[in-house]
Amino acid sequence: MSSEHDSGESFPRMRREKEKVHEKQAQGDGIGWDGKTLREQFEELERKTEETDHYAGFERLEFKNEEPIKYEQMFAQLRGDLVTARETSKEVAATPIVEQEGELCYGLFTPEGDSIAVSTGIIVHIHTMSEAIKYMINHDYEESPGIEPGDIFVNNDTHVGDVHPCDIMTLIPIFHDGELVAWAGGVNHVIDAGAIGPGSMNVSQASRFGDGAYYTARKIGEDLEIYNSWKNDFPDKTRTPDFLKLDEKTRMTGCLMIRNAVNDIIDEYGIDRFKQLSREAVEDGRRGFRNRIRKTMLPGTYRGASFVDALYEGQGNLTREYANENHIMHAPSELHVREDGSFQVSFEGANKWGWHPYNCTPAAIQGGIWVMLTQTVIPNSNVNDGAYYSCDFHLPVGSWANTQNTETAHAYAWHFLVSAWAPLWQHLSRGYYSRGFWEEINAGNANTSNWLQGGGIDQFDKLHAVNSFESACEGVGARYVEDGEPHAAAIWNPEGDMGDAEVWEMTEPLPFLGRAVKPNTGGAGRRAGGAGFESMRTIKDVSRWLLYEMGNGYMTSDGGLFGGYPAASGYILNAQDTDLEDRFENGEDYPQHDLDPESGEFESKIDGEITRRPEGISTPKQFDDYDLYLNYLRGGSGLGDPLERDPEDVLSDIHDGYVLPRHAKDAYAVVVNKVNDEAKHNSAVQGEWELDEAATEELREKRMEERAEKAQPVSEWYEQQRDRIQNEENLIDDVKKTYESSMRMSKQFAEFYHEFWDLPDDFEFDLSEKAERSLDGRFKSGTKKKWKNPTKGHETWLGVGRDDEPEVPYTWTAERSIRDLPTPKASFGDGAVGKAMDDD
């Protein structure tokens, strides 16, 4: 084993490496391999990849083929070291976000920034770290500020490589014999980002300048020592400086462990073997992804769309008057599966970015889709950036998915991003169904919300902020063969953990009054979506304390699959100026739950100013001692016709607290009767219930007859809807503004929309003066691009959709569809024959 302390001097190996780098620089050599600069090395890699359609030109996996055991041993050792680094370093952290939920991940990257291997955790950020490394290379950091052994870099700039500014990454280069051979990187979600409002993802700002402090691929230390200027400046930009200091120590600990592990592997196997592995592992991952797609999907175009609301009209505490408007995210999603097993994700037709913090960047979109693919397509393959090299992305410039404007806010990009993923799950599931991989089918994960956030002066009379990561445990969408898991995971953290209530209470002045499964939140279906849960919190010993809600409200972006119903939408419930203290002192009942919002039980157990409304987002508002706040976490969507669900399963759902008895009748046409009041399976249902089989069979027959009576030919429905659109009947301004924005963004989408509804070519929606002013202001803002020197791969961000954009080889047209396949049996050919195995 190598040691950095074998001579009494700190990090002697690093210092020797630094001397070698300086010697090479004095000779005019770069820090890349064979004396190249990093920029030259990266450009050569891209050229070889494009010319050969194999990563770095590796058309043969010589190491893997000739020494397969040693190859797998080295890769497994690297990945094990990454997981060890994560599990060890998170014990340094102090926030439950990291220590309880594990909101932390690490990656090992090639010199050019492609991930070789990854840890467990929030691996969405593996690719965002990749983008940050490429940004540094493409903007000549090798020249200034320099990249040398022992240097430390930090980034949280969403336009460079991140999802939102509360995810802070630490990157350190790893050298051998004067050459940069790898990067170690780690990311964690911090508790406060110094935004205009407390918490890590404030929602009231209209632009980047309210998001909090941004650090653009900044060098913050050398010789593995952090600069004093950074130590004195960085923590004071937030409300939780001590937590941020420990988070940074967490990331540094993990990165140094990875650096030492790489040195040990090089000492054991040799530098040539390590370099070979770092190239072959990425190419191996690329092939694994394509093989899996070829065996589980049909080539063609899969289409879908999702929407989610963000309602700000009439809300207070907004930073700009022009932000006082409602927003609907429109994510028309297309998955183009090519015959070589690669595919493209296109958001052509996405509407314009807005004066809200839900905008995304290419790094966020790519990282988000990357983490989804690792859980669905390639969970058993080498998980690295090989999958990224089998995908390309069309993200229209100026849309919410690719603002290319450094004025836009991004603090809670997840709200739109997670919602936009919903159709992608369904695209994959439809492909799996067509090829018979039914066990892989999933209706999709929940929109991960609510996020309890806020801050002020806490119980220790200190400035503080909170961000409850109970949202790491949402309901999972139903599968084809099983129900979805209740309160089990989040798409961005597959190791879902809601955290111990006692641990949250150590850092948040928000005592728990109750925590329970929330009935009726999973989508109904032959297979039911997993249920969400809720926590009832009160406030104690605080001053000038702010809280706010964050989540989907009227809309649910998870639409259900194969006739399944969507999960429950969101709502807000809190109570202020309450009599809770008196109820405590008098031993009276008080609200612990809101398991049946229609029952009136919550209102009967508290007096005060109660807010109950069907939106999902609120700007920060002040809460005082003994006020109440409901933290409601969402459920997953259902799959299949609810009338096909086994009535015995519905009865079990009632006893398990997933379904209320009256909902069994409404959603599933299942009739149950109460047997006694004694048994108590959980806090949602008091008593024991039994199934009335005869009444259930009769009711289901009646429901089927009602369906037949209400059914109408699609052609009739189409004509009704076409007339409604053309005459703008019962269309609220927010909906019209959304579609008009998409049509102004995309000539292709406008043509598609006009053609589909048989509308005149010059059709456009009649908008209110306020809506017109909103669109005009944003469309006139232009672009303010962050990447000054994009590589060839990044030019695809600037793709198609407008006459003034360069031509790139995207397949999207208004006419292209799955019907373009030559025959119903069209597939990938002989190469796809056979069963997909774990190692595909």
Side-chain angles (χ1 to χ4, degrees):
M1 297 290 287
S2 65
S3 173
E4 296 286 7
H5 299 279
D6 52 9
S7 67
E9 178 190 4
S10 295
F11 307 115
R13 185 167 187 160
M14 176 203 70
R15 298 193 183 282
R16 291 194 299 271
E17 284 297 335
K18 198 164 189 176
E19 291 172 0
K20 293 177 182 178
V21 168
H22 290 168
E23 290 174 4
K24 295 186 67 175
Q25 290 173 336
Q27 299 169 3
D29 291 339
I31 60 174
W33 298 354
D34 301 322
K36 298 184 183 70
T37 66
L38 288 183
R39 185 78 184 250
E40 291 170 341
Q41 185 169 320
F42 189 18
E43 289 173 350
E44 181 182 6
L45 181 143
E46 285 201 317
R47 178 181 57 79
K48 289 182 177 179
T49 301
E50 184 177 16
E51 289 176 352
T52 65
D53 197 30
H54 294 273
Y55 180 74
F58 273 54
E59 299 183 53
R60 292 189 66 251
L61 301 180
E62 295 180 1
F63 183 15
K64 180 177 181 178
N65 293 335
E66 295 173 5
E67 299 182 77
I69 295 177
K70 183 175 289 187
Y71 173 89
E72 296 294 345
Q73 183 180 12
M74 281 185 70
F75 187 86
Q77 189 172 333
L78 279 174
R79 188 172 188 278
D81 289 333
L82 287 161
V83 174
T84 299
R86 177 177 179 266
E87 294 303 312
T88 302
S89 66
K90 75 179 184 180
E91 301 303 320
V92 177
T95 66
I97 293 175
V98 177
E99 191 273 329
Q100 290 277 298
E101 269 64 43
E103 281 292 298
L104 173 71
C105 71
Y106 291 99
L108 178 67
F109 302 87
T110 67
E112 303 86 359
D114 295 315
S115 63
I116 304 166
V118 306
S119 75
T120 49
I122 50 168
I123 54 177
V124 61
H125 293 291
I126 295 299
H127 190 72
T128 68
M129 285 190 282
S130 172
E131 293 300 315
I133 294 170
K134 292 175 182 179
Y135 179 89
M136 291 191 284
I137 295 172
N138 294 334
H139 292 79
D140 300 317
Y141 274 42
E142 184 175 353
E143 296 178 10
S144 175
I147 301 173
E148 297 188 354
D151 285 353
I152 307 166
F153 296 89
V154 151
N155 182 73
N156 74 332
D157 191 330
T158 57
H159 284 270
V160 168
D162 219 327
V163 175
H164 44 180
C166 54
D167 291 316
I168 298 182
M169 62 179 69
T170 296
L171 299 162
I172 67 169
I174 303 174
F175 285 78
H176 176 81
D177 200 23
E179 291 181 340
L180 179 64
V181 295
W183 293 82
V187 177
N188 79 284
H189 187 116
V190 301
I191 201 168
D192 185 85
I196 196 168
S200 63
M201 299 175 287
N202 188 65
V203 298
S204 57
Q205 68 272 28
S207 72
R208 171 190 179 101
F209 309 111
D211 272 355
Y214 274 98
Y215 308 103
T216 303
R218 181 178 298 186
K219 188 174 181 176
I220 64 164
E222 56 187 66
D223 295 336
L224 298 178
E225 288 287 340
I226 295 173
Y227 296 143
N228 285 334
S229 58
W230 177 257
K231 292 179 183 178
N232 294 325
D233 178 54
F234 165 60
D236 292 338
K237 283 186 166 62
T238 75
R239 300 165 181 83
T240 55
D242 291 339
F243 286 113
L244 261 72
K245 291 175 185 176
L246 286 169
D247 284 342
E248 188 162 72
K249 291 179 184 294
T250 298
R251 298 192 302 273
M252 280 296 298
T253 298
C255 286
L256 290 177
M257 290 180 68
I258 296 167
R259 171 181 169 275
N260 291 342
V262 169
N263 286 333
D264 289 341
I265 284 178
I266 291 174
D267 289 345
E268 182 176 355
Y269 296 97
I271 185 61
D272 291 338
R273 272 286 179 252
F274 178 79
K275 287 181 176 181
Q276 184 84 0
L277 177 77
S278 67
R279 292 287 194 254
E280 287 198 14
V282 180
E283 170 62 13
D284 196 13
R286 188 194 66 83
R287 296 183 187 190
F289 179 87
R290 290 198 179 191
N291 288 341
R292 185 72 176 175
I293 290 295
R294 285 164 60 88
K295 290 193 174 183
T296 59
M297 298 285 289
L298 280 174
T301 298
Y302 301 75
R303 279 182 176 160
S306 58
F307 302 84
V308 74
D309 57 333
L311 308 184
Y312 280 88
E313 193 169 286
Q315 293 215 39
N317 209 11
L318 291 169
T319 59
R320 295 290 185 274
E321 178 58 31
Y322 51 74
N324 183 18
E325 63 172 323
N326 294 333
H327 306 278
I328 298 175
M329 177 212 73
H330 179 208
S333 166
E334 292 201 339
L335 174 61
H336 306 298
V337 179
R338 304 187 181 100
E339 293 192 358
D340 64 359
S342 67
F343 67 58
Q344 175 201 76
V345 177
S346 172
F347 284 133
E348 182 67 35
N351 54 327
K352 190 70 174 175
W353 59 260
W355 300 115
H356 54 67
Y358 313 116
N359 301 295
C360 291
T361 62
I365 294 286
Q366 291 170 335
I369 292 173
W370 191 90
V371 73
M372 191 199 81
L373 294 176
T374 60
Q375 296 179 61
T376 54
V377 178
I378 51 168
N380 300 318
S381 299
N382 285 356
V383 177
N384 55 32
D385 264 330
Y388 168 75
Y389 278 91
S390 282
C391 308
D392 57 89
F393 302 85
H394 174 41
L395 309 173
V397 172
S399 69
W400 63 263
N402 183 10
T403 70
Q404 289 296 321
N405 188 319
T406 52
E407 187 182 0
T408 49
H410 299 266
Y412 185 32
W414 284 117
H415 184 53
F416 279 14
L417 182 56
V418 173
S419 300
W421 285 338
L424 296 175
W425 288 89
Q426 298 185 2
H427 299 335
L428 292 170
S429 290
R430 291 186 175 103
Y432 295 152
Y433 183 84
S434 66
R435 294 298 301 274
F437 290 87
W438 293 357
E439 295 85 352
E440 305 294 329
I441 295 171
N442 189 310
N445 273 28
N447 181 319
T448 43
S449 51
N450 177 51
W451 294 83
L452 187 163
Q453 289 195 109
I457 304 301
D458 67 8
Q459 67 270 40
F460 305 111
D461 296 327
K462 295 179 65 176
L463 181 63
H464 190 46
V466 300
N467 182 5
S468 171
F469 257 72
E470 290 185 301
S471 50
C473 271
E474 312 281 345
V476 178
R479 292 166 287 170
Y480 195 83
V481 295
E482 295 285 349
D483 293 340
E485 294 294 330
H487 46 80
I491 175 59
W492 33 264
N493 190 341
E495 299 175 306
D497 190 331
M498 64 185 68
D500 296 333
E502 295 81 3
V503 175
W504 285 118
E505 289 178 336
M506 291 171 62
T507 57
E508 298 175 350
L510 308 172
F512 283 77
L513 301 184
R515 197 189 226 183
V517 173
K518 195 158 184 68
N520 295 2
T521 51
R526 180 179 63 84
R527 301 295 186 186
F533 75 104
E534 66 173 27
S535 295
M536 186 70 73
R537 311 291 292 272
T538 188
I539 292 87
K540 189 69 173 68
D541 297 331
V542 300
S543 61
R544 56 183 176 92
W545 193 262
L546 302 176
L547 290 174
Y548 46 103
E549 286 89 4
M550 299 167 58
N552 61 313
Y554 288 94
M555 294 181 175
T556 175
S557 56
D558 307 300
L561 187 63
F562 299 161
Y565 281 54
S569 57
Y571 70 99
I572 290 171
L573 175 62
N574 50 62
Q576 297 170 279
D577 192 21
T578 73
D579 64 342
L580 185 62
E581 183 177 14
D582 293 337
R583 289 177 177 269
F584 284 166
E585 292 178 354
N586 298 329
E588 299 175 2
D589 283 348
Y590 58 87
Q592 295 176 276
H593 308 288
D594 190 49
L595 301 178
D596 184 355
E598 297 179 29
S599 69
E601 183 179 1
F602 177 88
E603 287 80 356
S604 71
K605 293 183 178 180
I606 197 73
D607 288 330
E609 182 184 339
I610 297 174
T611 299
R612 183 190 288 274
R613 65 177 199 263
E615 291 113 38
I617 290 171
S618 72
T619 52
K621 52 188 178 293
Q622 186 162 330
F623 281 70
D624 296 311
D625 284 358
Y626 299 104
D627 289 348
L628 296 177
Y629 179 108
L630 179 72
N631 192 26
Y632 154 38
L633 294 313
R634 309 312 197 242
S637 51
L639 184 148
D641 188 343
L643 297 188
E644 295 179 0
R645 185 163 179 80
D646 189 331
E648 291 289 349
D649 289 339
V650 177
L651 182 65
S652 297
D653 290 341
I654 293 173
H655 288 147
D656 289 337
Y658 303 144
V659 171
L660 295 173
R662 71 169 185 278
H663 187 65
K665 184 176 182 179
D666 294 340
Y668 293 102
V670 169
V671 181
V672 294
N673 300 308
K674 181 179 280 191
V675 177
N676 61 63
D677 292 315
E678 296 179 3
K680 187 175 183 180
H681 291 265
N682 59 39
S683 56
V685 180
Q686 177 71 48
E688 188 80 20
W689 301 76
E690 70 176 8
L691 177 67
D692 188 330
E693 295 183 6
T696 295
E697 184 177 354
E698 181 181 351
L699 180 59
R700 287 191 164 183
E701 289 178 359
K702 181 180 178 182
R703 290 280 176 85
M704 294 298 291
E705 292 172 358
E706 291 173 350
R707 285 183 179 181
E709 291 173 2
K710 292 180 180 179
Q712 64 179 140
V714 172
S715 58
E716 290 182 11
W717 172 88
Y718 173 88
E719 289 298 328
Q720 293 170 0
Q721 295 303 313
R722 179 187 175 278
D723 291 344
R724 179 183 173 215
I725 292 170
Q726 190 164 25
N727 299 325
E728 300 189 30
E729 297 175 358
N730 300 319
L731 291 177
I732 62 174
D733 210 37
D734 297 330
V735 170
K736 293 191 291 184
K737 179 177 67 174
T738 298
Y739 277 104
E740 188 63 30
S741 175
S742 289
M743 287 191 283
R744 294 184 190 183
M745 275 291 304
S746 169
K747 179 180 66 176
Q748 286 97 324
F749 180 79
E751 292 175 352
F752 171 76
Y753 192 83
H754 291 162
E755 180 184 344
F756 183 87
W757 291 112
D758 193 19
L759 300 170
D761 291 341
D762 61 349
F763 173 85
E764 58 183 36
F765 286 108
D766 182 25
L767 302 181
S768 67
E769 182 181 348
K770 180 179 179 180
E772 281 286 3
R773 188 167 59 248
S774 169
L775 289 182
D776 287 347
R778 285 179 282 148
F779 273 91
K780 289 178 181 178
S781 293
T783 59
K784 304 180 184 69
K785 298 175 182 176
K786 189 74 176 180
W787 287 68
K788 303 296 189 298
N789 299 306
T791 67
K792 187 171 184 61
H794 291 116
E795 288 174 2
T796 58
W797 293 356
L798 312 178
V800 299
R802 307 283 295 279
D803 290 337
D804 56 349
E805 290 180 354
E807 178 89 17
V808 292
Y810 285 120
T811 57
W812 199 96
T813 68
E815 295 80 23
R816 181 177 169 88
S817 76
I818 197 74
R819 291 172 297 181
D820 294 340
L821 290 173
T823 72
K825 295 182 179 181
S827 185
F828 294 97
D830 295 339
V833 175
K835 176 180 170 185
M837 308 299 290
D838 285 348
D839 59 350
D840 284 335

